Amino acid sequence: MGAFAELITEEEQTRGGGPWINTIKYSVPIYTVGRNQPTVAVRLATLHPVPPLSAAWRAVPLPSDAQPAVGTDGDLVVWQPSTDRLWEFWRLVHEESGRWSASWGGAIQNVSSNPGVYGPEAWPGAATVWGVSASSLSLVGGLISLEDLEKGQINHALSMSVPNVRAGVYALPAKRSDGTSTDPFSLPEGAHLRLDPSLDLAALHLPRLTLMIAEAAQRYGIIIRDHAKVVSFQAQAPKSGTPNPYTAPGGYFEGMKTPRKLLAAFPWNHLELLKLELHRAKPRRRRSAFGVPRI
């Protein structure tokens, strides 16, 4: 964790200002739909067919006006509470023909009881290579949701992306990794961090959103989910065409404060690493067996 604290300092000084919270670009819009939402087929645009995933996408209750997150990843999640099912997509595209396609993703049935990681229990025929993240963890498991922010409390673990993911291993709850770092102090995907439980957060006088993140990190922890250019959390993207709840007057970023300014107050040097259950990852390739670019 000493090496991780040094990484934070380096980012604050040389990598564009420090850790970030993705809220619009490279974040996750969630479309919560009712039982009667019409379904559409989403074509799996890969070099090789993956029949179980194509079957899972044969009838998705995806609204016609849905728009993926800004950025080349084009992520989007559909959640249908009435059927307890969830679908997530990477590089989702609404084609000129009116059809939908995506380059990769996943689907989860029995969402309310799923551990939040892709594997055979997620859907008939599902595999650990499913899912948008490089660790098999679902996009929504550690997402800071708009509901969390409205309540003023994050009652779950947080997901985090870091720039130097360890190569060759992953830690449960992750099921795979795209790490490339050979630094012996780098963190593997799936690593579980927490803030020192004896730290008095109230005494730090943190900004409101920073305090919410710190309280969740102290009580539930932070899971390393993905690789990114800088250390970053993910927060739910607002639907296109709606006011930005983060930067609007009275928003969660508190006026002119940026994510970097908010996270500069986070007590990074009080993070602890919980015991790891490491597993060896398969050798990293430029493309998966399904022709899916590594992400």
Side-chain angles (χ1 to χ4, degrees):
M1 295 317 299
F4 185 75
E6 291 177 3
L7 170 65
I8 297 296
T9 300
E10 179 186 350
E11 286 193 0
E12 291 174 338
Q13 295 176 349
T14 64
R15 295 190 181 184
W20 190 256
I21 305 172
N22 292 336
T23 60
I24 304 297
K25 276 190 171 183
Y26 299 100
S27 186
V28 185
I30 300 175
Y31 286 80
T32 303
V33 299
R35 180 181 293 275
N36 297 323
Q37 173 66 43
T39 62
V40 296
V42 178
R43 181 176 65 89
L44 178 59
T46 55
L47 295 177
H48 305 289
V50 186
L53 186 53
S54 293
W57 289 2
R58 194 168 292 143
V60 181
L62 177 63
S64 59
D65 61 349
Q67 294 190 33
V70 177
T72 54
D73 284 357
D75 294 340
L76 184 142
V77 168
V78 176
W79 176 41
Q80 191 172 46
S82 60
T83 59
D84 204 19
R85 292 182 173 185
L86 176 147
W87 296 259
E88 64 178 53
F89 303 99
W90 179 61
R91 293 189 174 176
L92 180 69
V93 175
H94 201 183
E95 301 171 348
E96 292 184 2
S97 63
R99 299 186 303 172
W100 291 91
S101 68
S103 295
W104 196 243
I108 299 176
Q109 60 181 6
N110 305 318
V111 174
S112 58
S113 60
N114 187 275
V117 59
Y118 281 99
E121 70 282 355
W123 197 279
T128 56
V129 294
W130 284 29
V132 171
S133 80
S135 58
S136 297
L137 294 167
S138 172
L139 286 178
V140 299
L143 185 73
I144 301 170
S145 72
L146 293 173
E147 183 180 359
D148 293 332
L149 297 174
E150 290 166 5
K151 290 180 177 179
Q153 194 171 45
I154 304 170
N155 289 317
H156 56 80
L158 299 167
S159 61
M160 177 190 285
S161 300
V162 297
N164 56 335
V165 178
R166 184 181 297 190
V169 295
Y170 61 85
L172 294 180
K175 294 289 186 69
R176 56 188 167 103
S177 173
D178 65 346
T180 59
S181 176
T182 57
D183 183 343
F185 295 111
S186 58
L187 292 169
E189 282 169 354
H192 193 175
L193 316 180
R194 72 171 181 186
L195 276 178
D196 179 354
S198 67
L199 180 64
D200 184 359
L201 296 177
L204 300 180
H205 305 291
L206 302 173
R208 181 171 180 267
L209 178 54
T210 311
L211 178 60
M212 290 171 58
I213 294 172
E215 288 175 337
Q218 191 175 58
R219 184 174 182 182
Y220 302 101
I222 301 169
I223 306 294
I224 304 302
R225 194 198 71 186
D226 253 315
H227 171 272
K229 291 183 178 179
V230 298
V231 173
S232 55
F233 294 103
Q234 278 68 43
Q236 182 180 348
K239 292 180 181 179
S240 179
T242 62
N244 188 320
Y246 300 99
T247 59
Y252 299 118
F253 284 172
E254 302 180 31
M256 295 302 292
K257 289 184 178 178
T258 67
R260 289 192 175 98
K261 290 181 180 179
L262 290 169
L263 291 179
F266 186 86
W268 296 104
N269 59 336
H270 290 276
L271 280 173
E272 301 174 340
L273 176 63
L274 300 184
K275 185 177 180 180
L276 300 173
E277 183 178 335
L278 289 175
H279 296 261
R280 186 155 302 280
K282 294 180 180 179
R284 185 176 183 271
R285 294 172 292 179
R286 293 188 63 186
R287 285 182 176 268
S288 76
F290 300 127
V292 182
R294 305 305 297 175
I295 53 177

